[in-house]
Amino acid sequence: MKKKLSIIIVVLLLLGGAYYFGLGFLPATNVVVTDFEVSEQQDSMTIHTSIATSAGYTRSVKNVSDNPEKMKLKFYSAFGGINGSIGAKSEFNLPLSPECKEIYVLLYDDYRLTLAKNPTTGEWERIK
């Protein structure tokens, strides 16, 4: 009886740990860009993010695009479960290539154009 109880406890602990840390490896598909700043040299951008739903935090971002003219940003959830905040960040520094003209963010089921470089002024603008 003691051995069965020990096995059940170990299995429950493993499942709890997988839930607690496992969600941190899933993409956060509810992230919106609230503000951004471009460096004077135009070689990097700092973006500020928020969550569009009532629960969750972001911890990292990855550019998944192969095209140098477009950045496709995929954000990842923080560790600690659904509303976990372990490793949470809301400000991310991104390197910008001179060819980059558009920045897309994974929102729910598709990448949505969020920021674009104005072709006449060369300034970055938020797309609404």
Side-chain angles (χ1 to χ4, degrees):
M1 181 70 173
K2 213 174 195 183
K3 188 174 183 177
K4 285 183 182 182
L5 184 60
S6 296
I7 291 173
I8 290 173
I9 290 173
V10 168
V11 168
L12 289 176
L13 287 173
L14 288 174
L15 289 174
Y19 165 76
Y20 195 73
F21 291 104
L23 290 180
F25 295 106
L26 296 175
T29 59
N30 55 354
V31 179
V32 293
V33 175
T34 58
D35 196 15
F36 69 96
E37 302 162 7
V38 181
S39 68
E40 289 183 24
Q41 298 83 13
Q42 300 275 325
D43 63 347
S44 68
M45 178 184 289
T46 301
I47 59 171
H48 303 271
T49 61
S50 179
I51 299 295
T53 58
S54 62
Y57 297 94
T58 55
R59 69 172 174 85
S60 68
V61 63
K62 181 179 179 183
N63 178 12
V64 295
S65 174
D66 293 331
N67 186 346
E69 292 184 359
K70 299 177 183 180
M71 288 179 82
K72 289 186 175 183
L73 302 179
K74 183 186 280 190
F75 291 87
Y76 290 91
S77 299
F79 294 111
I82 290 177
N83 204 25
S85 61
I86 299 172
K89 290 174 45 177
S90 62
E91 184 178 305
F92 300 93
N93 294 316
L94 305 171
L96 276 178
S97 67
E99 302 89 18
C100 187
K101 296 178 180 143
E102 298 175 332
I103 298 177
Y104 294 79
V105 173
L106 180 61
L107 187 60
Y108 301 113
D109 60 347
D110 196 15
Y111 285 93
R112 306 247 170 104
L113 181 61
T114 305
L115 302 170
K117 195 181 257 189
N118 187 315
T120 55
T121 64
E123 299 289 321
W124 283 91
E125 300 174 346
R126 184 189 328 255
I127 305 299
K128 298 190 183 197

